Amino acid sequence: MATRKIMAIIGANSKIGTLLAERMAPTYDLLLMDSSSDELMALTNSIRLQQPATNINSLACCREASWEADVIVVAAAMEQLPAIAQKIKEVTNRKPVIHFSPAGAATTTLQELLPHANVVVAELETAASTDRLQKVVRLGGVDKEALKLASEILARSFATAL
Amino acid sequence: MNEEEKALVKSYFSPKKLRKKQYLLQEGDACKYLAFVEQGLLRSYNVDDKAVEHMLQFAWEGWWISDTYSFLSGEPAAYNIDAIEDAELLLITLPHFEEMMLQVPRMERYFRILFQKNIISKERRLLSSISLTAEEKYLRLQHSNPELVQRIPQQLIASYLGITPETLSRIRKTIVQKK
């Protein structure tokens, strides 16, 4: 009997965040976080409707979500990174943090902002249209376990979306 | 410990919040962590074929909890660990635990003393469980851990002592009458 792990998705309203939330709901207990609470509530309700067995909650605070979580996904805009990192720094020690970032966009990496977290960067192709689902072009990180986990999550999430 | 050592020790641990009734570990999984309780209350227990729970240990602020055999060997755990109250934990994996001991010898000494105390308490618990009457066991627990008796639901205390909740209730009534 495997204990269900908890995944926090910061920036759940983004394309990637929403896709991950839908695809990960059967495997993980989810904590969704984003700045627009109306949109977040709509997403949470739609996943609950599609997958009634899932355990999904929305939280207003990314620190709380990351504190409870075993895995943290950051799918927020680049300019929000420093503020998010500041909030979650204390509670992401030694935890896998998967950061979705447009390819080549990272000037300051999340790993620098979260020195004790096991950050994996999943670089997305820089598509002109933000409407279509993007493709992960590169995975980068130091911690082997976090990298393995990230590639498993990506394989399950993007198998039909690539 | 100086500030540098404190920061180093802290860097090995992962903070984790657990809500009431959430599992830290389920029987059959490998126990990945040794957990320090900063806030809240946890228990470790086993469930038998008849779905009866047997309490092994409780852990609250300042205590450590794990399935030690599973943590050290990587074999499947024989116990469940879950939260009786909302909890804030600090978790450490075996590789980080070992590395911390090498980097901060004070922690090695701390854990040696902790494990010594743990052996003593386990020996005492074993002896009292095979040699004392139910009432004596309860009185001893109340004497050594008054906070535990106050804070933990009665049916869990009964299970911890290896008696039925009815027996515990009878004992408590007798004690009150004696006073």
Side-chain angles (χ1 to χ4, degrees):
Chain A
M1 184 165 42
T3 313
R4 275 177 70 91
K5 294 248 188 299
I6 300 172
M7 177 187 278
I9 302 180
I10 300 169
N13 293 339
S14 66
K15 275 259 173 262
I16 291 289
T18 301
L19 175 80
L20 275 175
E22 286 166 357
R23 298 285 160 82
M24 290 295 110
T27 319
Y28 285 88
D29 287 350
L30 295 177
L31 295 173
L32 306 185
M33 190 271 158
D34 210 311
S35 45
S36 158
S37 55
D38 288 349
E39 259 182 77
L40 194 61
M41 194 49 79
L43 174 64
T44 309
N45 288 339
S46 104
I47 294 176
R48 273 198 193 123
L49 210 61
Q50 291 161 16
Q51 307 182 43
T54 193
N55 187 357
I56 182 167
N57 283 294
S58 55
L59 286 180
C61 169
C62 58
R63 184 172 188 273
E64 281 295 311
S66 305
W67 198 353
E68 273 191 53
D70 302 295
V71 187
I72 296 113
V73 169
V74 179
M78 290 304 285
E79 63 270 19
Q80 293 173 351
L81 273 197
I84 291 171
Q86 187 63 36
K87 284 184 197 153
I88 67 173
K89 195 175 173 183
E90 288 285 310
V91 294
T92 49
N93 246 18
R94 308 281 174 182
K95 288 187 188 180
V97 178
I98 305 168
H99 174 216
F100 286 89
S101 134
T107 44
T108 321
T109 68
L110 195 57
Q111 185 69 78
E112 284 164 28
L113 298 169
L114 303 172
H116 295 302
N118 298 327
V119 177
V120 174
V121 180
E123 286 191 8
L124 300 164
E125 66 174 3
T126 37
S129 156
T130 48
D131 284 346
R132 77 187 266 275
L133 287 168
Q134 291 166 307
K135 191 168 150 187
V136 173
V137 289
R138 200 180 75 87
L139 266 188
V142 178
D143 187 78
K144 284 197 183 106
E145 258 185 68
L147 270 169
K148 189 168 158 252
L149 179 72
S151 52
E152 281 168 11
I153 288 170
L154 291 176
R156 254 179 291 158
S157 308
F158 289 83
T160 56
L162 285 176
Chain B
M1 238 193 283
N2 59 39
E3 288 306 312
E4 204 179 314
E5 280 177 323
K6 273 187 204 165
L8 185 59
V9 167
K10 210 177 152 193
S11 77
Y12 289 114
F13 287 88
S14 195
K16 167 92 178 160
K17 216 172 194 180
L18 213 59
R19 296 187 199 186
K20 187 175 170 174
K21 291 189 179 167
Q22 264 178 352
Y23 286 101
L24 177 67
L25 174 72
Q26 276 180 284
E27 188 184 333
D29 288 353
C31 179
K32 251 184 95 179
Y33 303 106
L34 173 64
F36 178 76
V37 185
E38 282 195 297
Q39 190 65 245
L41 179 62
L42 275 77
R43 61 171 179 159
S44 61
Y45 62 102
N46 167 272
V47 183
D48 69 18
D49 299 343
K50 292 174 186 132
V52 178
E53 293 179 352
H54 301 279
M55 289 318 126
L56 189 74
Q57 195 206 324
F58 299 104
W60 60 90
E61 293 81 14
W63 287 63
W64 297 83
I65 195 164
S66 181
D67 179 324
T68 314
Y69 172 70
S70 175
F71 176 68
L72 295 175
S73 66
E75 295 291 318
Y79 315 118
N80 300 288
I81 301 177
D82 66 12
I84 304 176
E85 298 170 6
D86 287 354
E88 293 170 19
L89 312 173
L90 291 173
L91 308 179
I92 189 165
T93 62
L94 185 61
H96 290 143
F97 183 69
E98 297 291 353
E99 198 186 317
M100 177 177 73
M101 302 290 211
L102 289 174
Q103 298 296 327
V104 191
R106 274 175 207 271
M107 288 308 285
E108 180 128 47
R109 184 178 146 77
Y110 167 84
F111 276 102
R112 176 175 58 77
I113 296 169
L114 186 81
F115 289 147
Q116 285 169 347
K117 286 186 174 169
N118 190 260
I119 291 170
I120 295 168
S121 113
K122 291 266 155 64
E123 282 177 357
R124 284 190 179 152
R125 171 137 191 245
L126 178 63
L127 186 65
S128 80
S129 92
I130 57 178
S131 67
L132 299 182
T133 66
E135 185 174 339
E136 285 167 339
K137 278 193 266 191
Y138 178 72
L139 286 171
R140 182 169 286 194
L141 181 70
Q142 202 184 33
H143 179 72
S144 60
N145 281 299
E147 190 199 347
L148 188 143
V149 176
Q150 288 292 318
R151 195 165 165 185
I152 292 167
Q154 290 305 310
Q155 77 272 18
L156 300 188
I157 292 187
S159 164
Y160 181 78
L161 295 174
I163 60 180
T164 63
E166 293 76 21
T167 307
L168 179 61
S169 164
R170 216 162 30 238
I171 291 169
R172 283 162 57 89
K173 229 177 264 169
T174 322
I175 293 169
V176 172
Q177 281 164 1
K178 276 182 192 166
K179 281 178 185 167

